[in-house]
């Protein structure tokens, strides 16, 4: 996809899910360390295939539970989420997010789930020694959105303490540093 930042949520999800699926397919060891200190490679995929169903269920949107190995579970979830995004009525359904306000389902999935696919693609690629071409403009957009949360970002408990990066760091490196990843992290020998 040539311009991820201008894509509609359904198209962005389709692209990011395919990218993440390719990384799953290229993973041969689910127990390798990752840039997320507490997690192994398998934990990243397990996280991605668990929280969306829980979050959507809390808002009255049923997402079928996925089974099978990690690749099968992710592919099934991708189909289920894509179906939600491709249906204009469902995608436009307004979710009430408490203090964060109200937003259409498509925007919620885009802002939380697709962003998670993007960031965790970096984690999984680094952990497993794979290459992933992350869109620099999308990284800058995610960085801007997360930066706007200020101290609330780390207070959420979902991100580590920021890691300083060089002033001329790429947008992807700036994003990873913001969410507590060391952009220079390499997999242990």
């Amino acid at each position: 996809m040539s311009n991820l930042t201008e894509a509609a949520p359904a198209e962005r999800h389709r692209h990011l899910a395919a990218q993440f699926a390719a990384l799953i397919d290229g993973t041969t060891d689910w127990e390798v360390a990752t840039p997320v200190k507490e997690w192994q490679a398998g934990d990243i995929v397990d996280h991605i295939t668990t929280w969306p169903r829980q979050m959507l269920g809390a808002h009255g949107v049923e997402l079928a539970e996925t089974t099978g190995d990690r690749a099968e579970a992710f592919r099934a979830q991708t189909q289920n989420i894509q179906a939600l995004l491709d249906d204009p009525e469902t995608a436009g359904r307004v979710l009430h997010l408490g203090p964060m306000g109200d937003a259409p389902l498509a925007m919620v999935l885009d802002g939380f789930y697709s962003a998670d696919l993007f960031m965790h693609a970096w984690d999984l690629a680094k952990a497993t020694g794979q290459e992933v071409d992350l869109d620099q403009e999308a990284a800058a957009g995610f960085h801007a959105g997360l930066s706007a949360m200020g101290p609330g970002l780390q207070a959420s408990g979902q991100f580590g303490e920021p890691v300083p990066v060089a002033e001329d760091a790429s947008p992807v490196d700036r994003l990873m540093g913001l969410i507590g990843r060391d952009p220079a992290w390499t997999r242990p020998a």
Side-chain angles (χ1 to χ4, degrees):
M1 173 169 287
S2 61
N3 194 341
L4 196 57
T5 57
E6 293 181 13
E11 286 307 309
R12 192 169 14 261
H13 173 261
R14 187 173 283 112
H15 172 80
L16 293 172
Q19 187 175 54
F20 198 81
L23 291 168
I24 291 173
D25 291 343
T27 299
T28 58
D29 183 354
W30 292 109
E31 296 180 4
V32 296
T34 73
V36 183
K37 292 178 188 172
E38 307 83 27
W39 286 359
Q40 297 176 326
D43 297 323
I44 292 170
V45 181
D46 295 345
H47 164 74
I48 287 289
T49 57
T50 304
W51 77 261
R53 187 171 52 83
Q54 295 167 346
M55 186 268 296
L56 291 173
H59 294 286
V61 179
E62 294 301 318
L63 190 63
E65 187 170 355
T66 57
T67 58
D69 67 18
R70 287 181 171 109
E72 292 167 340
F74 180 73
R75 281 186 169 72
Q77 178 172 285
T78 295
Q79 290 176 339
N80 295 336
I81 289 176
Q82 196 64 53
L84 294 174
L85 291 168
D86 287 340
D87 176 11
E89 185 175 323
T90 304
R93 178 179 169 183
V94 175
L95 300 185
H96 306 288
L97 305 174
M100 294 190 328
D102 298 344
L105 175 66
M107 298 308 294
V108 172
L109 285 171
D110 193 45
F112 291 101
Y113 181 67
S114 290
D116 222 27
L117 286 175
F118 185 93
M119 292 179 279
H120 286 308
W122 185 88
D123 294 328
L124 191 56
K126 285 283 194 176
T128 59
Q130 298 181 72
E131 293 293 322
V132 63
D133 184 20
L134 295 175
D135 184 283
Q136 298 292 327
E137 285 184 43
F142 290 134
H143 183 275
L146 290 171
S147 292
M149 293 178 68
L153 180 66
Q154 276 72 34
S156 73
Q158 297 173 4
F159 302 96
E161 287 301 313
V163 174
V165 297
E167 250 184 66
D168 63 348
S170 72
V172 168
D173 285 354
R174 285 196 307 275
L175 173 62
M176 293 308 140
L178 177 67
I179 63 172
R181 312 295 200 269
D182 179 357
W185 187 91
T186 57
R187 38 188 293 197

